Amino acid sequence: MTTDPTRWTDDGEERRRAALVESLPSADDDTPLMAELRLDARRRIELRGRVFPKPDRTRVITVANQKGGVGKTTTTVNLAAALAQSGLHVLVIDNDPQGNASTALGIDHRSGITSVYDVLVDGAPMASAVHPCPDVPNLWCVPATIDLSGAEIELVSMVARETRLRNALTAYLEQRERDGEPRIDYVLVDCPPSLGLLTVNAFVVGDEVLIPIQCEYYALEGLSQLLKSIELIQAHLNPVLHVSTILLTMYDGRTNLAQQVAREVREHFPTKTLRTTVPRSVRVSEAPSYGQTVLTYDPGSSGALAYLEAARELAERGVAADRQKEDV
C-alpha cells in the first residue's frame, strides 16, 4: 500500500492549526471585545499561508447590487486580492465609470489608458487592457477610465451590444490558453449601481452573481427588483446566470439592527449567504486612499481577515458545487 506524504503533511498542519485554535481563551456574549479578538486570532491561525483550492474551470462572478454604498467595489477588490494571495490567478474587470476598483488595486486609469471602454466600444482585444496589480502577484485588472461614462449612449446603436464584454473575455481566456499562460481561476466584475447597458454586459459575461448586502436599514430595498432583472437576463441573454453568493457587509454585532438584518437575509437565502460577515472597519475604508486593498494595507486587521475568510469560503463552496455536478 502506498502513502502520500503530502497528505500526512496536510493532516499534521491541520491538527496543529486546530490545537492552536483550541488553546485560545474562551469568550461569550458578555465579553464582545474578547469574542472579536478571539475570532481574529482564530482566523489568523487558520488562514495564514493557506492555499485555496482551484476551481475546475474559470469562475466568472459579477458583483452587483442596485443600492449604492453597500460595498460592491470594496468586496470585489478585497475578495480578488484574498484569492490571489492564496495561490489563485484572478482578473478584475472594472465596469464602473467611477473607476474605484482600479484605484484600490493601484492601477493607472487616467483618460487615454487602454481600458474596458476600448474593449466595449472600440472592440480592442482585452489583452491590451489588462494591467498587473503592483502589490499582489497573480492579480490583474482591466481598468475603467472616465471615458466609460459615455459608453452607455455609444453602445445603444451597436450590434450585439449586450454581449461585447462576454465575447472579449472569451477571446482573452482562449488566447491565454493558446499562449501557454496559466489559466485565470476567477474573474470578478465590478458593476455600477444601475441597470444600464454596462450592468447588462456584466450580467451577460458572468456565470454567477455575488450580492453584497449592507447590514443596515433598507438592506433588502431594491433586492427584489435586482432578482427580477437577473431573471430577465437568464430568460433572454444568459441562461446559466444565477445568484450563487450573498455576503453581509458593514456588520456591527453590537447593534440589534445588524443582527436582525443578518437573520432576515439568512432566512430568505439560507444556502447562498456566506457564514462570514464583513465588519465595519476603518482600515477597509482607508485602504483605497493609499491605492491598496485592505489585504496589503493592513493584513492583520479584522476587515482583512474577514475578506480572507470569505474568499476561502467562496473557493471551497465552488469546488464543492463542481463535485456535486460530477456526481450527478
Side-chain angles (χ1 to χ4, degrees), residues 80-281:
L83 291 166
Q85 283 187 352
S86 303
L88 302 173
H89 296 85
V90 185
L91 173 67
V92 171
I93 299 177
D94 188 354
N95 209 36
D96 186 344
Q98 295 180 76
N100 291 335
S102 307
T103 299
L105 294 175
I107 308 296
D108 189 359
H109 60 106
R110 293 168 296 169
S111 181
I113 299 291
T114 306
S115 67
V116 72
Y117 172 86
D118 301 280
V119 174
L120 284 171
V121 176
D122 297 333
M126 185 170 285
S128 66
V130 172
H131 302 265
C133 175
D135 299 314
V136 184
N138 300 325
L139 176 57
W140 296 270
C141 176
V142 180
T145 63
I146 192 64
D147 302 325
L148 193 60
S149 57
E152 295 272 7
I153 297 172
E154 295 179 71
L155 284 170
V156 167
S157 59
M158 292 188 175
V159 176
R161 60 193 180 189
E162 300 93 350
T163 59
R164 294 178 73 86
L165 189 60
R166 180 175 67 187
N167 296 339
L169 178 62
T170 300
Y172 172 66
L173 296 177
E174 290 174 350
Q175 178 186 331
R176 285 183 65 96
E177 185 177 356
R178 287 195 303 271
D179 294 344
E181 296 182 71
R183 185 191 69 189
I184 296 290
D185 298 303
Y186 283 85
V187 178
L188 299 180
V189 187
D190 189 29
C191 292
S194 63
L195 287 175
L197 280 171
L198 291 178
T199 302
V200 170
N201 265 271
F203 280 148
V204 173
V205 76
D207 303 318
E208 309 173 39
V209 179
L210 186 154
I211 304 176
I213 294 183
Q214 184 182 15
C215 293
E216 293 193 357
Y217 195 57
Y218 294 136
L220 301 177
E221 188 87 357
L223 187 59
S224 60
Q225 182 58 47
L226 175 63
L227 296 176
K228 287 178 183 176
S229 300
I230 292 171
E231 288 176 3
L232 285 173
I233 299 293
Q234 286 174 327
H236 300 287
L237 295 168
N238 185 6
V240 302
L241 184 70
H242 64 285
V243 177
S244 66
T245 311
I246 291 175
L247 176 62
L248 295 166
T249 63
M250 304 181 194
Y251 180 79
D252 186 347
R254 299 170 299 177
T255 67
N256 291 332
L257 177 60
Q259 295 177 27
Q260 180 185 347
V261 170
R263 192 161 50 246
E264 288 182 7
V265 172
R266 294 188 193 283
E267 286 175 0
H268 281 87
F269 307 99
T271 61
K272 301 181 189 299
T273 307
L274 297 183
R275 296 186 305 273
T276 307
T277 57
V278 178
R280 281 197 171 277
S281 169

